[in-house]
Amino acid sequence: MTAEEGQALTTLLLRPTETCQFSAQVLCTAENGKHEQRTLAIIINTQAGVEEACVFIIRKTGQTAGVIQTVLPIYFDFRISVAQTKPVDKDDKQSIQDSKNDFTLKLFCDQTEVSVQTDDLETLQGLLRELRKSHLIAQDDNFYAGGSTHRWIQYYTTEEDLRVPGQESVMTMDEFIASNSNPLAMYFLQPEDSQPSFPSAGPRLKLGSVKESWVEKEMRSRESAFTEYSHIHAFVGTWNVNGRNPTGKLDSWLKVEGAVQPDIYVICFQELDLRTEAYIVLDGAKEEEWTQVISESLGSNYHKIMSKQLVGLLIIMYVAEAHVKYIKEVTAHSAGVGIMGVLGNKGGVAIRIRYKDSYLCFVDSHLAHDTSQVERRNQDYQEICRRLTFPSANPYDITKSPAGNAALGIASRMVSLFESDHTIWAGDLNYRIALPEDQVKSYAGARNYDALLKHDQLNTQRSLFRAFSEFEEPPITFQPTFKYDVGTDTWDSSEKRRVPAYTDRVLYRSTKGQPKDHVETLFYKSHMELKISDHKPVSAMFKLKVKTLLHDKQAEVHQAIVRELDRYENECMPDATISSFNVVFDEVRYLEPKKNHVIIKNTGQFPAQYRFKPKLQDEGFCKPWIWANPPVAMIMPGESAKIHLTVMVNNESAPLLNTGRETMEDILILHLEHGKDYFISVSGSYVRTCFGNSLEWLSRLDRPIRLWDPAEDEEDDEEMYGNYNALGNKSSMSSIRDSPVAGQGVSSPDPSRQVKNVKSLDGLSETGSVTTGLTKIRITTEKKPPAKKSPAVRQLSLPKDLWRIVDFIYKYGFSVDNLFLLSGDQSTMSYIRECLDTGEEFDLIRLLDKPSSHEGAAAGSAKKSNDDVTTSKQQKSTKDEEGNVQTNDSSNAAPPLPPRVPVSPNSSTALSSRGSVSDLKPQIARPVSIMNGIPPKAANFGSGENRGIHSMAEVLLRFLESLQEPVVPTEMYYKALEIAGHQQAAYGLLDLMPPVHVNVFVYITSFLRELILVGGGQNSAQGSTSGKDSGSSNSGGSTSATNSNRVLQSSSGSIYNGVDPSNSSSSRVKRDDEDYRVAKLASVFATVMLRPPPGAERISEPEAIRRKMFMMQFLQEPVEDEGPGGSAGLGSAPSPPPPSSGSIAAVAAAASAAVLSSQSASTAAPEYDGHDP
C-alpha cells in the first residue's frame, strides 16, 4: 500500500473535523511476533483555533477498511527516538550500508510508547519534520494529559477495545482469498461503485464483466459436452515471385501426393507486380494470369471462393466442391504499411471464413527488408494485427445462449484476426539469419539447419515476445529459401551477395486454451524445382479440427452454468445481525463523553464490509455530537465486532442543544457493501448548560438554564435565538447609557461632555485608514432605531453566570498567587458548571476547603480582601488628590444576584451530593494549557483551598472560550489586530461592537484591571519590615504572610524589594511589576476573547503578539497627556469600581464611564497616525 492509499484509508476513519496531515507506511511487530505493514498517520484537529495533533497506527483489514490500533496524543512531554535497527559491523561495508536504510522510530508520550520501523529515509525525514512541528505547537500552547485539549480523541477507539470477548480467532483475509474458489469473490471484496478504490487494487471490476468472463471460461471448458468435431485439410503456400510471370504449371508446388487431398487451398504471393503504376492503379491482369495457372494445376474439383490484392500482395482461396456448402461469412481485408506507413509495397492481406461452426483466418504479408530492419519488421507486424479487422455479420459465440447469439446477429461488430478458431500466417516475413555469409552457407551445405535456426531473427523475436509470439511454426527441415540467382539453385552471386535466410515462412495459431491436437502439421517444405524467382516457394498442409455445435445441448449447458453462477452470487451476498437497533444515552453533559456500543456479527459465508452512509442531502452520516468508530470495517464470516458509539457535546454542538432547537436524536444508517441497510436509532437526554451559547442568548435568560423551558418561550423564539452578530445594531455607549441600573442610582455621565475630544478621533480618517469600516469612526449621541426588546425582567446587561464566576473570584481569589496561570481540577470544574446551570449556591467547603464552623473566617477573609481593595483605592485616591482629581469609591457590599435566580440559604454549609472528600485532595502537578507564556516546569495544579479558586478561574476562561461568538466578534478580529497599540482607535472599535459584547468586554477588562491594581495595593505595604514603615494598613500582619497574598509573581520574584513606594524608583518598580502582570493576563485572555474566524490559518507569532497588545491596551493605565486647560489627560479617568460594588449593569455602566472619560482627553492627546509605534 502506498502512502497516498494509506492517507485515503485514514481519511475514511476520521470525523469531518479532523484531517490527516501526514501518513507513512511502516512496520510494526504483530501479536504473532512477525513484522506487518501499518499506516502511521498524524491527525490534526483545529476546532480550538490551534493544531492539536495525534499519532494513529492503523491496520488495514480490507481493500478500503482499517482499524485504529494505537492513539498517541502529542503533548508537551512528547519524545522521539531514532536508531538503526540492525547492528553495525564497522569492518563490513555491506553492514554499514544496510544500517543506513533500516531505522527504528520510538515515540513516547503520557506513559505510552510506540515503536515502528521503516527503510525509507525520505519518509522518515518527512515524518520527523511533521512530528517536530506538532511537538513545538504542543510546547508553545502547553498541551498536557488531562487538560482541556485533545478531547476529540475520545471519539476514536483502538482495536483492543473493539474485540468481542470470548470470540474465537477466524481466518485472515489473505487466508480466505487463498482458500476460496468463488469466481465472484474479487468483485464482492472491492468497494461499491460509489466508493473510492485504491490504485493498487487494479481496475475496478464490473459484476456483469466478471460474470460474463466466468461463463465464457466455463462454456469453453465444457465445450465437448455440446460439440461434435471433424477435421479439414488446408494447404497454405507462399511465394515471392519477384515480379515475374508464370512460365508453366505449378504442379510441383500445388499438387499433393497421397490419398489425403486438401479441402482448402490458400495461395499467397508477394511482389506480384513491381511496376510503379501498381502503387496508383490496381491492375487485375497479374491476378488473372496467376489464377489461371493455379486453376489448371488444381483441376475442376476446386472452386475459387475469394481473392484479395494489395499492389504486389495477392491471396487466393480455393475450396473443394464437397466442402463449399460449409463455407459461410467470407470476408477479406488489407492493410498497407510500406512507404509512409500506408503504401502497399509492404503490408498484409487476409481472408476470414466460417467453416461449419469454426472460424478460419488466413493472412499473407510482406514485411520490411534488410538485415538491420528487425525492429521495423516488428512494427509492421503489430500494425497489421491492429488494422486487419473483419465485419461479423452473423456471429455465433459458443459461450452464449441461443438467445444471446440471436442478439449478436442483430448487432454486427468488427472482429480482429485473432478472434478465430484457427489463424494461419504466411508470406515473405524478411527475417534474416544473424551469421556471416560463409558460415550460413557452410551450415546449409551440411544440412545443419538447427544451427541456422538458433540465430534466426524470427525465432529470437518470438522468444522475446516482440513479434509472432502467439504463433507456432512447424519444424523447418529445408534449406533457406532466399536468395538465389534467378533460374538456378545457386546462392546470390551478385555484387550484394545477400546472406541466405529463411524469409518465407508459414505459422499457425489456434484459439487460446484449445489443446494442441486441434492443429496437426502434415508437411512443411520448400520447392526447389521452381526457379523463376530469387525466392523458393514454401508450402504447408495442416489438419485442422473444426466443430459443429449441438444447439440444444449448448443451451442446457449454458443454463446449468448460469444456475451455478447464481448460487455463487448468493453466497457472496453479505448478511449480518446487530445486537441493538436502539441506543439510549442518559444524562449527557457538556464536554463529558459517554460511550455505548452495538455488536455486529457476520452471519453470511463471505467477508462483509460495512460503512455508515449519510442520509439524503447530508454530508456526514451523523450529527456533530456523536461518532461511530470504526465507521468502516471488514468482518470475516462468523466474526463479531464492536461498533463504539461516542456522544460528547462540545462548543460546536452545544448551542442548538442548549436552546432547544435540536434534540439529542439521530438515526445512523449502517450499510453492508453490496447488501442491505440497517437503521440504528440513537437518543439521549441532554443536560443543558450555560456553556457553548451566545452572549445575546444568555443575557436574555432570566433564570438558570436548567429551570428554563423552551416551550415557555415559543413566542420569543426570534428574540431568544436570533444571531446578534451584525455590527452596529446599536451604539455600544448608548446601550450602556440606556441600560437600567438596579440597586444603585448611578446616573450615566453626560455623553456630550465625555466626548468633547471627538475631533481627535475624526483624525483617524484623515491621517490614515486603519481598516475597512474604521475609516470613518465617529462617536455620536445620535440615537438609532431601538431594537426589539424582550420583557424587562429578561433584559440583563450581561449573563448572570458570568457575574457569578467573577464575583466568586473577586471575593475569594484576589489573594491567590498566580491566578489564571495555574490549571484547575476537572472534577471541581464540573461541579462549578453544575452550580451555574442549576442556580445552586457554591459550596465554600468544597471550593475553599473550609469547614462549616469556619465559615466566618471565610467571610473575614473576603472582608480582608475588600479592605485591601479599599486601602488600595485610598492610596490611589491620595495620588489623585495630588493631581487635583477626586474619586468617589463605591461601597463594598456584596452584589445582589440577578433577578429570578433561586437562592438556597443552606447550600453553602453542606457538601454537594456530587462532591466527596476525595475530591479535595491535591492533584498531581501538570503543565497548564490556559497559559501560553509560562514554562511547563513551572506550571502546577493549585492545591488545598486554592484549588477551588484556580478551578473557578479556569471555568471563567472556558466559559469565554465556549462562546458561540467571541467577546470581540470574529468580524472585527483583524481590525482589532491592526489597531493594536493605538488606544484611541481601540476605544473607537468598541463602539462598533454589539451592546452585550461591549458590556462583557468592559466588565472583564475592568475586573482584570482591578485585579492588577489590588495586587499593587496589597504589596505596597510589604516593603518595610518595621511598624513605622508599614503603616496602619499592615498592622497585625507579618511580612511573610503579606508576601503570600501576591496576585502574580513578577519575574524578579519581588515587587518593591523593601523600597519606599513613595519615592520615584519605587514607583518605577511598581510600574514594572504592573506591566508584568498586565502582559501575563493579556496573554491568557486574548486567546479566549479575541479569536480568529473559523477556518483561519494557525495564528502566527506576530499575530499572537498583536492580539496580546490589543488586550494590554485595556488593562494598562491610559497614558497621561495634559492638554491646554490642565490635567485632563487620559490618566484622569476615574477607576472603575469592583464587581462587588453594585449590580452588573452598574459595573458595566461605571466601567464604560472610564472608557468614555479616557476618550474625552484634551485636544493635545496623541493621535493615531496609521503607523505602528
Side-chain angles (χ1 to χ4, degrees), residues 507-577:
L507 301 93
Y508 65 90
R509 173 190 180 275
S510 294
T511 303
K512 187 176 180 180
Q514 286 187 350
K516 291 187 177 181
D517 63 354
H518 279 215
V519 179
E520 180 183 353
T521 303
L522 301 181
F523 62 78
Y524 183 32
K525 58 186 178 180
S526 66
H527 301 269
M528 303 296 292
E529 301 86 357
L530 298 176
K531 305 177 182 180
I532 64 174
S533 172
D534 57 355
H535 289 256
K536 300 297 182 182
V538 174
S539 63
M541 185 167 171
F542 301 97
K543 182 180 180 180
L544 306 177
K545 181 181 284 189
V546 293
K547 59 194 175 189
T548 301
L549 299 179
L550 307 176
H551 296 289
D552 293 340
K553 290 187 177 181
Q554 182 204 13
E556 293 177 2
V557 172
H558 189 273
Q559 292 175 2
I561 292 175
V562 170
R563 286 194 298 269
E564 189 175 348
L565 187 65
D566 292 339
R567 179 175 59 82
Y568 281 129
E569 186 173 3
N570 291 333
E571 290 179 1
C572 292
M573 295 301 294
D575 195 11
T577 58

Side-chain angles (χ1 to χ4, degrees), residues 834-965:
E834 186 72 11
C835 290
L836 295 173
D837 297 337
T838 60
E840 181 183 357
E841 289 274 359
F842 296 131
D843 188 350
L844 300 183
I845 298 176
R846 174 166 184 161
L847 297 181
L848 302 180
D849 198 19
K850 295 179 180 293
S852 58
S853 60
H854 295 162
E855 183 178 354
S861 175
K863 185 178 185 301
K864 180 181 182 302
S865 176
N866 292 337
D867 291 341
D868 291 340
V869 174
T870 304
T871 302
S872 172
K873 290 182 175 296
Q874 289 172 352
Q875 293 171 354
K876 185 169 182 64
S877 297
T878 302
K879 178 180 178 181
D880 291 338
E881 287 172 0
E882 295 175 358
N884 300 323
V885 178
Q886 295 183 355
T887 303
N888 294 328
D889 189 17
S890 302
S891 68
N892 290 330
L897 292 171
R900 296 178 63 178
V901 176
V903 180
S904 175
N906 299 324
S907 60
S908 63
T909 61
L911 285 171
S912 168
S913 59
R914 292 175 58 81
S916 64
V917 178
S918 61
D919 293 335
L920 303 178
K921 296 180 181 179
Q923 298 292 318
I924 300 174
R926 290 188 183 275
V928 246
S929 62
I930 62 173
M931 182 62 213
N932 291 334
I934 189 170
K937 62 182 180 181
N940 299 303
F941 279 114
S943 60
E945 66 179 82
N946 292 344
R947 183 188 59 165
I949 303 298
H950 288 297
S951 298
M952 187 68 72
E954 185 169 355
V955 166
L956 174 59
L957 294 173
R958 296 297 158 240
F959 179 87
L960 297 175
E961 183 184 53
S962 72
L963 292 175
Q964 190 176 4
E965 181 77 8

Side-chain angles (χ1 to χ4, degrees), residues 491-511:
W491 301 113
D492 182 21
S493 60
S494 67
E495 182 180 352
K496 295 183 178 180
R497 297 183 63 87
R498 302 296 179 94
V499 179
Y502 292 104
T503 58
D504 307 284
R505 314 286 275 267
V506 179
L507 301 93
Y508 65 90
R509 173 190 180 275
S510 294
T511 303

Side-chain angles (χ1 to χ4, degrees), residues 173-216:
M173 179 61 68
D174 293 337
E175 293 172 344
F176 176 84
I177 294 175
S179 62
N180 186 266
S181 59
N182 193 313
L184 306 180
M186 298 312 298
Y187 169 79
F188 282 95
L189 288 177
Q190 72 175 3
E192 293 178 335
D193 293 342
S194 60
Q195 299 302 306
S197 180
F198 297 156
S200 61
R204 187 184 291 273
L205 302 176
K206 301 293 184 180
L207 181 59
S209 300
V210 173
K211 289 182 175 181
E212 185 178 348
S213 298
W214 186 77
V215 170
E216 179 179 350

Side-chain angles (χ1 to χ4, degrees), residues 253-273:
W253 178 32
L254 302 179
K255 286 288 188 179
V256 177
E257 299 178 357
V260 178
Q261 292 296 308
D263 302 311
I264 295 177
Y265 272 94
V266 178
I267 305 167
C268 305
F269 294 99
Q270 303 87 41
E271 295 187 1
L272 187 72
D273 193 348

Side-chain angles (χ1 to χ4, degrees), residues 674-857:
H674 310 288
K676 57 185 178 180
D677 294 340
Y678 300 86
F679 297 88
I680 302 175
S681 174
V682 179
S683 60
S685 57
Y686 176 64
V687 181
R688 288 191 295 273
T689 180
C690 59
F691 286 73
N693 300 292
S694 68
L695 286 173
E696 288 80 4
W697 190 83
L698 288 173
S699 65
R700 288 164 174 76
L701 194 64
D702 62 344
R703 70 200 74 176
I705 193 168
R706 300 278 179 83
L707 303 181
W708 171 72
D709 185 2
E712 298 177 3
D713 300 283
E714 291 181 355
E715 297 180 358
D716 300 326
D717 279 352
E718 182 179 354
E719 185 72 14
M720 289 288 290
Y721 303 147
N723 189 3
Y724 289 83
N725 289 344
L727 302 183
N729 285 348
K730 187 176 180 182
S731 170
S732 59
M733 285 175 291
S734 61
S735 70
I736 295 176
R737 183 178 62 250
D738 296 340
S739 299
V741 180
Q744 294 188 17
V746 180
S747 59
S748 300
D750 185 358
S752 62
R753 290 194 340 220
Q754 294 176 354
V755 197
K756 64 181 179 180
N757 196 26
V758 67
K759 182 178 180 180
S760 64
L761 289 178
D762 291 343
L764 290 175
S765 60
E766 300 171 0
T767 57
S769 174
V770 179
T771 59
T772 303
L774 283 178
T775 56
K776 295 182 180 180
I777 296 182
R778 297 179 184 273
I779 301 178
T780 175
T781 58
E782 181 181 337
K783 289 192 175 183
K784 300 179 181 180
K788 178 183 176 181
K789 294 184 179 180
S790 298
V793 71
R794 300 282 290 278
Q795 293 295 308
L796 300 176
S797 297
L798 50 88
K800 64 188 180 315
D801 310 289
L802 177 62
W803 174 86
R804 291 189 65 189
I805 299 171
V806 173
D807 181 64
F808 183 91
I809 299 173
Y810 182 82
K811 285 182 178 180
Y812 305 107
F814 270 30
S815 62
V816 176
D817 191 20
N818 286 327
L819 192 62
F820 293 110
L821 302 186
L822 296 184
S823 179
D825 171 55
Q826 294 296 326
S827 62
T828 305
M829 292 167 60
S830 297
Y831 165 73
I832 294 172
R833 283 199 302 265
E834 186 72 11
C835 290
L836 295 173
D837 297 337
T838 60
E840 181 183 357
E841 289 274 359
F842 296 131
D843 188 350
L844 300 183
I845 298 176
R846 174 166 184 161
L847 297 181
L848 302 180
D849 198 19
K850 295 179 180 293
S852 58
S853 60
H854 295 162
E855 183 178 354

